[in-house]
Amino acid sequence: MLERDGYSVRVVQEPLTSFEEDVAATRRVLETAGPCVLVGHSYGGMVITEAGAHSAVKSLVYVAAFQPDVGESAGALSGQTPPPSNSIAPVGDGFLQVNPDAFPADFAPDLPSD
């Protein structure tokens, strides 16, 4: 719909190898994007906050996403959210993991279990 209305759309393929590499991938796209709006969902909110300091970024949009201050961690935010979203935890080397048993309640609580 955005392209139909004349907007250029880019999707960043985050490597998901580390937070720093996800931000770097986003910044690479921003280098050629021109003025833009960054949109992030879930963990993507962490990424757009850090990458959003780029001069091309005019606005940030958080869709059911972490909305940190620059430098704030997902762990710090998880401590401020309702208990169901506390299933995300660091597993080392900059990686996070969602407890698989908690995934349905965290990401799709309004859907039938099947």
Side-chain angles (χ1 to χ4, degrees), residues 14 20 22 49 65 69 72 78 92 100 113:
E14 297 170 346
E20 293 76 16
D22 294 343
T49 296
D69 288 327
E72 190 171 27
S78 290
S113 61

Side-chain angles (χ1 to χ4, degrees), residues 16 25-26 35 43 70 91 100 103:
L16 298 175
T26 304
Y43 160 76
V70 172
V91 292
F103 183 85

Side-chain angles (χ1 to χ4, degrees), residues 39-82:
V39 180
H41 170 262
S42 189
Y43 160 76
M46 300 297 301
V47 176
I48 69 169
T49 296
E50 289 295 319
H54 192 281
S55 62
V57 177
K58 303 305 175 197
S59 186
L60 300 174
V61 176
Y62 297 86
V63 180
F66 284 108
Q67 188 176 354
D69 288 327
V70 172
E72 190 171 27
S73 73
L77 289 176
S78 290
Q80 300 172 21
T81 59

